[in-house]
Amino acid sequence: QERPVQSGAEVREPGASVKVSCKASGDTFNYYMNWVRQAPGQGLEWMGIINSRGDSTSYAPKFQGRVTVTRDTSTNTVYMELSSLRSEDTAVYYCVRDQCSSTSCYPLLWGQGTLVTVSS
Amino acid sequence: AIQMTQTPSPLSASVGDRVTITCRASQGIGNELVWYQQKPGKPPKLLIYAASSLQSGVPSRFSGSGSGTDFTLTISSLQPEDFATYYCLQSYNYPYTFGQGTKLEIK
């Protein structure tokens, strides 16, 4: 099972947007994809998920209206765009492929993470 | 959203100890609870899914139990490589939610 591969680190000014990519390979692309972030020294925070076809998303209330997750089926790539950035958004952002057992689904395969720094 | 309360944090223990970390959900989540281990600078690693199923390749000293609202992760005999931070996650419904993490420290 190959891990997703994410785009590189980004630096943005407050108020800007950032778009992080996550490229899956093989049959990984048939799975749902989560986005999770981790601020420096802090815990994990689930942001949202997109289904395998890319036509359905669900977001955490905290990020609703600021985050958009999309999927390009032609390039096997998932994107997470976060807008109206503030310093508190400085974090490592992970894409995580879901896995389903016979009874439940859960985030399994983590990308390497993308550091987004928000600073003026 | 379902809230996940994880205790204790931090947790101090010695090599060879048996340790237990607890996660409590604010409402019933069946068995849709997973446990991760995270080491500094690395992405989390899945240890347990469906509350008690051991992920392939994870040492058998790790075990999970519970259903409904109360869950535990047990490490039967701590090894040096087990000192890390542990997180629970409920995958019962969206938004998925994590516990706040338990940092397992060397005593």
Side-chain angles (χ1 to χ4, degrees):
Chain A
Q1 292 175 329
E2 293 189 35
R3 295 177 176 276
V5 177
Q6 299 181 222
S7 51
E10 304 272 12
V11 179
R12 294 287 186 273
E13 293 189 347
S17 297
V18 69
K19 193 170 186 177
V20 179
S21 69
C22 170
K23 187 167 179 62
S25 62
D27 66 354
T28 296
F29 201 69
N30 292 324
Y31 294 90
Y32 287 37
M33 199 69 80
N34 301 267
W35 286 91
V36 174
R37 79 175 187 180
Q38 186 170 38
Q42 302 301 308
L44 301 168
E45 192 169 29
W46 187 85
M47 300 178 69
I49 193 167
I50 190 165
N51 71 348
S52 55
R53 293 187 305 275
D55 58 4
S56 179
T57 54
S58 182
Y59 301 124
K62 176 177 179 177
F63 301 102
Q64 193 79 38
R66 276 208 310 142
V67 69
T68 304
V69 178
T70 55
R71 193 160 200 159
D72 183 341
T73 56
S74 67
T75 61
N76 291 356
T77 303
V78 175
Y79 299 92
M80 186 283 298
E81 184 169 22
L82 189 63
S83 62
S84 303
L85 289 168
R86 35 212 189 227
S87 59
E88 310 90 88
D89 294 317
T90 293
V92 176
Y93 290 77
Y94 294 101
C95 64
V96 196
R97 195 207 86 177
D98 242 24
Q99 174 72 30
C100 292
S101 67
S102 58
T103 57
S104 65
C105 298
Y106 46 89
L108 171 62
L109 284 178
W110 294 68
Q112 82 274 21
T114 296
L115 175 62
V116 174
T117 303
V118 183
S119 174
S120 54
Chain B
I2 298 172
Q3 296 189 16
M4 305 301 294
T5 303
Q6 194 175 330
T7 56
S9 188
L11 174 58
S12 296
S14 302
V15 172
D17 284 354
R18 178 184 180 91
V19 299
T20 297
I21 299 169
T22 296
C23 202
R24 174 165 289 175
S26 60
Q27 66 183 73
I29 60 171
N31 71 337
E32 298 199 47
L33 190 284
V34 298
W35 290 97
Y36 299 96
Q37 176 194 69
Q38 187 180 32
K39 296 183 178 179
K42 300 291 186 182
K45 171 187 172 183
L46 182 75
L47 300 175
I48 302 285
Y49 65 93
S52 60
S53 295
L54 191 68
Q55 174 67 11
S56 176
V58 174
S60 59
R61 62 180 180 273
F62 291 91
S63 63
S65 66
S67 66
T69 60
D70 294 311
F71 302 86
T72 59
L73 173 70
T74 299
I75 309 173
S76 60
S77 178
L78 272 175
Q79 299 302 301
E81 60 268 28
D82 300 336
F83 291 95
T85 301
Y86 293 83
Y87 295 93
C88 63
L89 169 85
Q90 68 81 16
S91 58
Y92 178 76
N93 65 11
Y94 302 141
Y96 288 172
T97 42
F98 287 94
Q100 62 268 50
T102 294
K103 186 174 182 180
L104 181 51
E105 301 173 330
I106 299 174
K107 185 183 287 184

